[in-house]
Amino acid sequence: LRWRRPARAGAGLVAGVGPLPLAAALQRCASARLADARQKALSRRTSSGGVTVTTAVPEGGAGRELTTLSTDAALLIVGGSGHGQLASALLGSVTSYVLHHAACPVMVVPGGPASQGSGRVIVGVDGSPSSQGAFAWALEAAERLDWPLVALHAWMMANIQVHLPDSEPRVRQTFEKAIGDWLADEVARAMDGHADTDVTQLMPYGPVAGALLNEAGPEDLLVLGSRGQGGFKRLLLGSVASQCAAHARGSVVVVRQSTA
């Protein structure tokens, strides 16, 4: 939650009365809402383990305050706005801001009833350093939650920089086998030392974001790497990570290359 003091000089002043306690009232209101949200969250917990909750109501923009706190955090969790429209991308939002600037991995939780069941940890694999960092994060999460791990790599003939007749079945089969061999090697390298953890490999044919969104259900945790290229162009055009964060049915964790 955030609150601001009046920005205009003299705002909140009444002749003969002095400063109105507007800032203090706003802070009390924000603190009350935060305490209520904390109590509701604790009442919904299904596990019996203890958890320590510390609350804070700083003055300032929510995105910047959360980004500052993220320097000492293992995971920053925010709610999805549910807009997913061009206006949201242009104007920015707290979620968009922390996705591009947080110093730790960011989890985006969609609106609606919280998931109570167990699912899978699905990680997107493309061989980049950010993808490798996301795989390590997903592997640890799967082992901690005792959930199945799924490594997914979406591919298309159009992404291959060679002019070949993709309508020829033999050509597609050749590339599909090569990609399967590459994915198996990538997974084996990432799973080194984790022989007891089962991982399923998927290679859907089609656009990456669409394949990830189709595979990840409301109960699943989707983990993605991001190269972290911020700025107006990336926000306007979108990326696989931002598309999934905006439209996924379940929770999404974005692990930027600098935070892996």
Side-chain angles (χ1 to χ4, degrees):
L1 299 177
R2 63 178 179 176
W3 59 280
R4 294 180 181 275
R5 287 192 174 92
R8 178 168 51 85
L13 298 178
V14 177
V17 178
L20 293 174
L22 177 60
L26 288 174
Q27 189 171 35
R28 286 197 300 270
C29 178
S31 297
R33 293 185 63 185
L34 184 57
D36 181 61
R38 172 185 179 275
Q39 186 58 39
K40 287 180 179 179
L42 290 174
S43 66
R44 295 188 183 120
R45 298 185 73 239
T46 56
S47 61
S48 58
V51 59
T52 301
V53 180
T54 302
T55 60
V57 187
E59 177 185 3
R64 293 186 180 277
E65 294 298 328
L66 289 169
T67 298
T68 299
L69 290 172
S70 72
T71 58
D72 296 320
L75 180 65
L76 174 59
I77 305 175
V78 293
S81 63
H83 298 305
Q85 301 297 325
L86 179 62
S88 177
L90 284 171
L91 298 176
S93 65
V94 174
T95 300
S96 296
Y97 187 90
V98 298
L99 281 172
H100 287 84
H101 297 94
C104 67
V106 177
M107 174 185 284
V108 181
V109 180
S115 172
Q116 299 294 331
S118 61
R120 304 168 296 168
V121 178
I122 302 174
V123 58
V125 180
D126 65 9
S128 66
S130 58
S131 170
Q132 293 167 0
F135 199 115
W137 198 99
L139 177 57
E140 182 179 351
E143 293 177 340
R144 192 182 297 266
L145 296 169
D146 194 24
W147 286 9
L149 178 63
V150 177
L152 186 149
H153 175 79
W155 66 287
M156 295 179 65
M157 293 291 293
N159 294 337
I160 301 170
Q161 301 302 316
V162 179
H163 182 68
L164 289 173
D166 58 358
S167 59
E168 174 64 41
R170 182 175 56 84
V171 173
R172 174 165 170 167
Q173 292 171 4
T174 300
F175 276 102
E176 188 170 13
K177 181 181 184 306
I179 292 172
D181 293 340
W182 168 85
L183 180 59
D185 292 340
E186 195 76 11
V187 170
R189 184 163 43 250
M191 296 291 294
D192 186 29
H194 298 268
D196 295 335
T197 302
D198 293 329
V199 57
T200 301
Q201 301 176 36
L202 298 179
M203 295 191 320
Y205 186 84
V208 179
L212 290 166
L213 291 171
N214 287 335
E215 183 63 32
E219 307 289 340
D220 298 325
L221 177 62
L222 180 58
V223 183
L224 303 169
S226 173
R227 293 172 178 82
Q229 298 174 359
F232 178 81
K233 181 178 181 181
R234 174 52 61 95
L235 286 174
L236 177 62
L237 298 178
S239 65
V240 171
S242 60
Q243 289 179 56
C244 290
H247 301 292
R249 292 170 288 172
S251 297
V252 178
V253 173
V254 178
V255 183
R256 288 169 48 231
Q257 185 170 336
S258 59
T259 67

